[in-house]
Amino acid sequence: MKKISNDFLTVCIEDHGAELSSIKANGREYLWQAHPKYWKRHSPVLFPIVGSVWNGEYRSGGKTFKLGQHGFARDMDFKLVSCTENEAYYTLESSAETFEKYPYPFKLTIGYKLHENTIDVIWKVENPGEKQIFFQIGAHPAFHWPLLSNNAIENGVEAMDEALKDNTERGFFAFEPKVERLKCTVITEGGCVDKSIEKYVELNEGFLPLTTETFAKDALVLENGQTQKVTLCDQQKKPYLTVKFDSPLVGLWSPPSKNAPFVCIEPWYGRADKAHYDGTYEQKDWIQALQSGETFESVYQIIIEQ
């Protein structure tokens, strides 16, 4: 594990998955601490798919490959290639192991850079091969609810459970640009989506109230660049933290029916298959493509507001 810091933030990153494992500011832990009662991860990197492929398999080049939800990068050890006081960079490259699950050569770089109260999370995908490659990439950071006290967070999951047991209201999301409602893609069977169903979430003066029922039917998936900034606010609508991004999709999630102590804000370049999808990997919705020698680069930001 590596630690980087500045005058505002202290951040820890694990080599396994190049995964953020701690974000501390003002003596407070903001990032969920991966207790398996609710979810055993902190902030995994999703690659080379986001979400699920139908029946756990996909087709490419006349072959069928099996691949679990969100791909394999989150479960592999990355190589730390550089680290200074306030930034760190990790790489994962294609290998015999990855070719069993994904037929394309790649070099994936994940970087973390601190400036004031902001973490830049940097993604770079390179195509070192001679042919075009295809991929998806996404984030999955989980943040403690603002209403949890420092004491409850520091004393672990039982203390957080006690703090939340009589409080169904958790805070609010605010979105930019400001709109009156959001159109959500619906997750159905097999963790895949049904585009024939239209679901809308109404906002109240630009705010979405968050309760224990908000994610009762799984994640809220927003497509087509409906928002590029999601702010998690406390019960008084005061900003707590913000995730800012340029990706065309974002997923919002807390484990359904679990009264979990956290919520996720997830910028995505990709999403799950449509239910019963029988096309090729290269024809998936929101697939990204790189010609030989090309590089995909993107940055999203986690901004601590209080």
Side-chain angles (χ1 to χ4, degrees):
M1 184 182 295
K2 289 296 179 182
K3 181 185 292 186
I4 57 175
S5 62
N6 63 9
D7 291 340
F8 296 86
L9 300 166
T10 299
V11 169
C12 294
I13 309 119
E14 296 179 0
D15 291 349
H16 191 69
E19 182 176 359
L20 275 173
S21 60
S22 177
I23 301 172
K24 288 186 177 179
N26 308 312
R28 180 181 181 88
E29 177 62 71
Y30 285 79
L31 199 66
W32 167 244
Q33 290 302 288
H35 194 288
K37 177 178 179 179
Y38 292 109
W39 192 51
K40 65 179 182 179
R41 301 179 190 271
H42 306 272
S43 179
V45 176
L46 317 181
F47 178 89
I49 60 169
V50 174
S52 299
V53 288
W54 180 247
N55 284 336
E57 60 184 33
Y58 69 92
R59 292 146 298 283
S60 178
K63 297 181 179 179
T64 298
F65 296 85
K66 293 187 179 296
L67 195 55
Q69 186 182 42
H70 295 319
F72 52 73
R74 62 182 184 169
D75 294 317
M76 299 189 74
D77 290 333
F78 282 62
K79 179 182 178 181
L80 178 66
V81 292
S82 67
C83 186
T84 64
E85 183 178 0
N86 61 6
E87 57 187 304
Y89 294 86
Y90 296 80
T91 60
L92 177 70
E93 297 189 49
S94 51
S95 63
E97 182 180 358
T98 67
F99 285 131
E100 291 180 0
K101 302 176 181 179
Y102 175 69
Y104 297 107
F106 69 89
K107 180 179 180 181
L108 171 62
T109 300
I110 307 296
Y112 300 96
K113 183 177 182 179
L114 309 183
H115 50 97
E116 296 185 340
N117 63 330
T118 299
I119 306 164
D120 286 350
V121 184
I122 301 155
W123 294 333
K124 182 186 292 186
V125 182
E126 300 174 65
N127 178 3
E130 297 179 355
K131 297 181 179 180
Q132 189 177 35
I133 72 169
F134 298 83
F135 68 94
Q136 296 178 332
I137 191 167
H140 204 318
F143 306 105
H144 289 125
W145 291 112
L147 62 89
L148 289 169
S149 68
N150 284 355
N151 185 63
I153 293 170
E154 289 172 359
N155 282 284
V157 70
E158 291 183 359
M160 289 188 278
D161 287 347
E162 180 66 23
L164 293 172
K165 70 176 184 178
D166 296 322
N167 195 331
T168 61
E169 297 180 355
R170 300 297 159 81
F172 298 84
F173 275 147
F175 302 87
E176 288 188 18
K178 293 182 179 180
V179 294
E180 294 182 358
R181 68 176 184 171
L182 297 165
K183 184 178 180 180
C184 299
T185 299
V186 177
I187 296 175
T188 56
E189 55 186 313
C192 293
V193 305
D194 188 338
K195 292 292 290 181
S196 69
I197 302 174
E198 292 191 349
K199 177 182 177 180
Y200 292 89
V201 173
E202 304 295 331
L203 305 184
N204 183 2
E205 297 181 350
F207 290 92
L208 172 64
L210 301 173
T211 73
T212 51
E213 297 300 317
T214 302
F215 305 101
K217 295 185 178 179
D218 216 319
L220 304 179
V221 179
L222 310 179
E223 299 193 41
N224 300 309
Q226 294 179 69
T227 183
Q228 261 74 55
K229 184 177 178 181
V230 180
T231 297
L232 176 59
C233 302
D234 63 21
Q235 291 172 305
Q236 289 73 46
K237 299 182 179 178
K238 182 180 177 181
Y240 172 71
L241 64 82
T242 294
V243 178
K244 187 177 180 181
F245 46 90
D246 58 11
S247 61
L249 302 95
V250 62
L252 309 170
W253 177 78
S254 188
S257 305
K258 285 191 176 182
N259 199 28
F262 66 87
V263 67
C264 298
I265 305 172
E266 310 172 35
W268 294 341
Y269 286 88
R271 63 148 168 78
D273 280 351
K274 296 174 184 174
H276 304 281
Y277 179 69
D278 61 0
T280 67
Y281 179 76
E282 295 79 8
Q283 296 170 327
K284 278 171 60 69
D285 292 342
W286 298 108
I287 199 73
Q288 310 298 314
L290 284 176
Q291 298 290 345
S292 175
E294 287 187 340
T295 299
F296 164 94
E297 294 184 80
S298 182
V299 178
Y300 80 89
Q301 295 180 315
I302 300 171
I303 305 164
I304 303 303
E305 306 277 13
Q306 61 168 274

